[in-house]
């Protein structure tokens, strides 16, 4: 019955679906589309994960220092949408360093939303309802985790290609942002 928690729940579903789709398909995308070896594509994935982990700390600090955590979360959503749209432009022949940097940028925004979002859930729900709210939002987050990669895979199976998948998720993430 809380509209702010509904919005955060929607963002959690969409962000989780985009994040796990990225986790599931990034190595294959880099190998099949950019022509990277599987080892280098795996390195790109490692760069994405490392950047996502590091950015969680940075975003938490920015959210605290600014006093505007919801704005930081919203801007993160827009940055994630832009990075996903940027990933859709990948093509063979890009320099490996550019691809690795792009993967790190994408990972830094697509894999760093969790702590910030759940801190906002707790703040919004209040201390008395924090456990119930975080449990409920965790539950709906798994809807995104369960449906995102399948949706991306369905787009691939229908012949739309990786770029379409990234653009679809970019649009959804922009709405959530």
């Amino acid at each position: 019955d809380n509209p702010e928690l509904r919005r955060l729940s929607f963002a959690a579903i969409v962000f989780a679906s985009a994040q796990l789709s990225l986790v599931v398909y990034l190595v294959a995308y880099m190998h099949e589309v950019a022509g990277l070896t599987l080892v280098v594509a795996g390195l790109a994935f490692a760069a994405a994960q490392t950047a996502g982990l590091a950015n969680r700390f940075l975003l938490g600090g920015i959210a605290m220092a600014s006093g505007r955590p919801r704005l930081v979360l919203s801007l993160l959503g827009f940055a994630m949408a832009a990075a996903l749209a940027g990933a859709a432009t990948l093509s063979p022949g890009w320099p490996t360093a550019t691809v690795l940097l792009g993967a790190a940028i994408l990972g830094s925004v697509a894999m760093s939303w969790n702590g910030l979002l759940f801190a906002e859930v707790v703040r919004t729900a209040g201390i008395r309802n924090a456990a119930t709210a975080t449990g409920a939002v965790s539950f709906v987050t798994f809807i995104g985790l369960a449906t995102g990669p399948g949706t991306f895979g369905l787009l691939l199976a229908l012949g739309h290609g990786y770029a379409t998948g990234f653009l679809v998720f970019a649009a959804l993430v922009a709405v959530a942002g």
Side-chain angles (χ1 to χ4, degrees):
D1 63 349
N2 183 322
E4 287 185 63
L5 287 176
R6 281 196 301 271
R7 285 191 291 277
L8 288 167
S9 295
F10 174 73
I13 292 168
V14 172
F15 289 2
S17 67
Q19 178 181 347
L20 195 57
S21 294
L22 177 66
V23 166
V24 169
Y25 293 104
L26 183 64
V27 171
Y29 180 57
M30 299 258 170
H31 177 66
E32 293 175 19
V33 174
L36 299 179
T37 67
L38 287 174
V39 171
V40 176
L43 179 62
F45 180 73
Q49 285 188 310
T50 302
L53 176 65
N55 202 33
R56 288 179 186 209
F57 294 103
L58 179 63
L59 288 173
I62 291 170
M64 277 183 28
S66 71
R68 307 276 315 268
R70 184 72 59 96
L71 176 61
V72 173
L73 184 61
S74 179
L75 292 173
L76 177 63
F78 292 125
M80 189 187 323
L84 287 164
T89 67
L90 181 67
S91 62
W94 279 24
T96 301
T98 302
V99 175
L100 293 174
L101 177 61
I105 291 168
L106 180 56
S108 76
V109 293
M111 299 181 185
S112 61
W113 58 271
N114 318 64
L116 194 54
L117 185 131
F118 278 95
E120 274 301 286
V121 168
V122 169
R123 186 198 61 75
T124 300
I127 196 69
R128 294 186 58 141
N129 298 311
T132 302
T134 56
V137 175
S138 291
F139 175 78
V140 299
T141 299
F142 280 95
I143 293 170
L145 294 173
T147 60
T151 301
F152 201 109
L154 179 62
L155 291 169
L156 291 175
L158 293 173
H160 293 291
Y162 290 96
T164 299
F166 285 118
L167 290 172
V168 165
F169 281 97
L172 291 169
V173 168
V175 170

